[in-house]
């Protein structure tokens, strides 16, 4: 990898971040000299990666033109599997959405059936034009992932997925580099990327759905930890004395008490005990969605269940807020759809349990998963394509077609001082 490739990567990532979109701004933000900036920008223009737009507002002297990624040069496919759905999104290299589709799907049907469903849905979503300029694929799954190898590792709710060579299979089919990550990670990246101007460079996203996951953005980069296990909030122990077994095999996990499947279990018990006529009428096929509907209809038992889940999630989150000190916490997933019934107890527990210095300017807000999950997966694919190591592999060929992602551990910093 040459210094030219490293600085070109820095220039491209800075432009895409929106922090600097003219040559003088690039020099100020990256610390590179005018000659280096001119050479890298000219190279990217000749390679068809960038285009020049309208003149920037003049600050005196000759106005610079705004730089942006060239429209139609390349595209990426982002896919996120939830426990009960799959979401596909196609984006341009600057992140502009091009196509989007969400389907019902049970991830427990296994990796082969799930991969076939993904390929079929992608085939319907990718027009001939989009398929011809596809440059990368990223898939998020609801379980732990060894990011360097692109394989799920003992995921509690994904039977049969352990060590499945998902990245290799994706690269074989699509003939482009592919990456695999945890679904909460890509959602966190999607939420932060859309709101980075106000979110700060340290943020958390809590996904409270069938399971409970967490994505961490630290200094503008996705934090996975040493092996990719960072953020597994749902399997932290909140009640060591509990005899409720989690799907991971342990007892007393947060997910076993506050996850969507746990709420459905407790809702059934409440209905059978005669505590809720609303839930009793739905006993045949009771799910967490019925509990949320009960909240909307002021059902006392449903409201108690979601409130208690918010308290448990908030108490665990308070520890993270004190340790990590984020500026923004995003709440996403099925339980977040309950609005204040879930959000208020989360905020109360965080405020009560975390240090005042960590909470006095903390923002805790909801985010729509439909807007951030597919977009986040696409964002990750673009980030990885522009990583210096990846860029050095495909740039001499003009595109990443038939280039593999390779075993690489690190997402590069997105934060640019």
């Amino acid at each position: 990898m040459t210094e030219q490739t490293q600085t070109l990567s820095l220039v491209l990532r800075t432009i895409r971040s929106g922090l600097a979109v003219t040559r003088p701004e690039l020099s100020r933000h990256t610390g590179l000299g005018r000659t280096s900036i001119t050479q890298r920008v000219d190279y990217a223009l000749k390679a068809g990666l960038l285009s020049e737009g309208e003149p920037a507002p003049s600050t005196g002297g000759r106005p610079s033109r705004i730089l942006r990624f060239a429209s139609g040069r390349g595209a990426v496919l982002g896919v996120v599997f939830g426990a009960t759905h799959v979401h596909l999104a196609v984006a341009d290299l600057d992140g502009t959405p091009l196509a989007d589709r969400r389907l019902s799907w049970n991830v427990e049907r296994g990796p082969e059936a799930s991969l076939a469903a993904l390929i079929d849905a992608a085939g319907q979503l990718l027009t001939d034009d989009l398929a011809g300029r596809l440059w990368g694929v990223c898939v998020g799954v609801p379980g732990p992932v060894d990011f360097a190898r692109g394989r799920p590792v003992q995921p509690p709710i994904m039977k049969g997925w352990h060590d499945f060579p998902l990245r290799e299979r994706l690269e074989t089919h699509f003939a482009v580099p592919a990456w695999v990550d945890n679904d909460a990670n890509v959602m966190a990246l999607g939420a932060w990327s859309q709101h980075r101007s106000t979110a700060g460079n340290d943020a958390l996203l809590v996904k409270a759905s069938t399971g409970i996951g967490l994505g961490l953005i630290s200094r503008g980069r996705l934090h996975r930890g040493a092996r990719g296990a960072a953020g597994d909030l749902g399997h932290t122990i909140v009640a060591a004395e509990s005899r409720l077994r989690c799907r991971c095999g342990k007892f007393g996990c947060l997910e076993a008490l506050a996850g969507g499947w746990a709420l459905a279990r407790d809702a059934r018990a409440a209905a059978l005990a005669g505590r809720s006529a609303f839930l009793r009428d739905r006993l045949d096929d009771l799910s967490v969605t019925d509990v949320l509907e009960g909240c909307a209809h002021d059902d006392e038992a449903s409201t108690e269940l979601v409130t208690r889940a918010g308290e448990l999630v908030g108490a665990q989150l308070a520890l993270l807020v004190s340790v990590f000190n984020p500026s923004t916490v995003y709440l996403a997933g099925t339980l977040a759809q309950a609005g204040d019934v879930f959000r208020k107890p989360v905020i109360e527990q965080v405020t009560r349990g975390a240090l005042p210095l960590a909470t006095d300017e903390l923002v805790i807000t909801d985010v729509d998963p439909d807007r951030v999950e597919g977009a986040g997966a696409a964002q990750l694919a673009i980030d990885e394509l522009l990583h210096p190591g990846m860029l050095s592999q495909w740039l001499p060929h003009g595109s990443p077609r038939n280039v593999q992602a390779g075993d690489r551990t690190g997402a590069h910093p997105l934060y640019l001082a």
Side-chain angles (χ1 to χ4, degrees):
M1 186 193 314
T2 66
E3 179 184 352
Q4 287 81 3
T5 303
Q6 290 179 316
T7 52
L8 175 62
S9 171
L10 178 60
V11 167
L12 292 173
R13 290 183 285 119
T14 305
I15 292 171
R16 201 172 70 82
S17 73
L19 291 173
V21 294
T22 65
R23 290 172 176 80
E25 289 176 349
L26 285 168
S27 184
R28 289 194 296 270
H29 278 274
T30 65
L32 298 173
R34 174 189 287 181
T35 300
S36 292
I37 292 295
T38 298
Q39 290 175 344
R40 305 304 175 267
V41 169
D42 287 350
Y43 183 94
L45 289 169
K46 291 177 182 177
L49 293 175
L50 296 178
S51 63
E52 286 188 298
E54 66 278 8
S58 178
T59 56
R62 183 180 177 182
S64 298
R65 291 192 173 276
I66 292 176
L67 299 165
R68 56 175 58 93
F69 274 81
S71 176
R73 184 70 175 90
V76 294
L77 172 66
V79 182
V80 176
F81 282 99
T84 59
H85 77 278
V86 58
H87 188 174
L88 299 90
V90 183
D92 225 330
L93 292 183
D94 62 359
T96 301
L98 300 176
D100 190 276
R101 191 178 186 194
R102 183 184 174 98
L103 305 169
S104 295
W105 181 258
N106 185 349
V107 76
E108 292 190 348
R109 292 182 62 178
E112 294 290 354
S114 297
L115 180 59
L118 184 164
I119 290 172
D120 180 66
Q124 298 179 44
L125 192 66
L126 293 168
T127 62
D128 290 343
D129 172 62
L130 291 178
R133 58 188 179 99
L134 186 67
W135 277 16
V137 178
C138 174
V139 176
V141 297
V145 172
D146 184 338
F147 182 75
R149 298 190 306 134
R151 298 188 177 199
V153 179
Q154 297 181 350
I157 69 169
M158 299 168 63
K159 185 177 180 180
W161 284 78
H162 172 63
D163 209 35
F164 182 71
L166 183 54
R167 187 184 71 196
E168 291 94 326
R169 296 285 295 275
L170 291 167
E171 290 183 339
T172 297
H173 178 79
F174 290 103
V176 296
W179 295 271
V180 182
D181 208 340
N182 172 263
D183 62 342
N185 282 350
V186 299
M187 289 174 68
L189 184 60
W192 177 77
S193 298
Q194 291 181 6
H195 305 285
R196 73 173 71 188
S197 62
T198 57
N201 288 303
D202 299 285
L204 302 175
L205 180 139
V206 178
K207 180 196 173 190
S209 290
T210 303
I212 298 176
L214 178 79
L216 300 94
I217 301 292
S218 176
R219 295 201 67 218
R221 65 170 291 175
L222 193 56
H223 177 75
R224 298 185 179 90
R227 290 293 308 280
D232 206 346
L233 182 68
H235 300 289
T236 56
I237 304 300
V238 298
E241 75 288 351
S242 173
R243 302 318 299 163
L244 291 172
R245 184 187 290 272
C246 184
R247 293 179 298 180
C248 73
K250 297 187 296 184
F251 291 90
C253 291
L254 175 63
E255 185 176 303
L257 280 75
W261 65 272
L263 264 64
R265 175 200 65 211
D266 294 343
R268 175 171 292 276
L272 291 173
R275 293 179 46 220
S276 170
F278 181 91
L279 295 174
R280 185 186 62 224
D281 292 340
R282 291 158 175 76
L283 262 176
D284 288 343
D285 191 26
L286 192 59
S287 71
V288 66
T289 303
D290 297 305
V291 179
L292 297 187
E293 189 177 347
C295 291
H297 286 81
D298 296 324
D299 176 63
E300 184 175 350
S302 298
T303 301
E304 287 178 359
L305 289 172
V306 174
T307 299
R308 177 59 177 159
E311 291 171 346
L312 290 168
V313 170
Q316 291 300 91
L317 189 55
L319 297 174
L320 284 172
V321 167
S322 288
V323 171
F324 183 63
N325 189 201
S327 52
T328 305
V329 173
Y330 297 107
L331 301 178
T334 306
L335 296 187
Q337 296 174 15
D340 284 345
V341 179
F342 180 74
R343 182 175 55 248
K344 281 187 175 180
V346 169
I347 293 173
E348 289 171 0
Q349 290 296 318
V350 170
T351 303
R352 181 180 298 125
L355 293 170
L357 183 61
T359 59
D360 60 357
E361 295 183 357
L362 177 66
V363 174
I364 300 179
T365 184
D366 297 342
V367 66
D368 183 359
D370 285 346
R371 297 191 51 149
V372 301
E373 56 183 10
Q379 171 92 3
L380 192 149
I382 299 169
D383 290 340
E384 294 298 328
L385 284 170
L386 299 181
H387 183 279
M390 191 73 232
L391 196 61
S392 67
Q393 292 184 54
W394 66 260
L395 196 58
H397 307 291
S399 87
R401 300 288 297 183
N402 298 309
V403 174
Q404 296 180 335
D407 288 344
R408 195 176 57 74
T409 58
H412 57 80
L414 302 175
Y415 171 72
L416 302 165

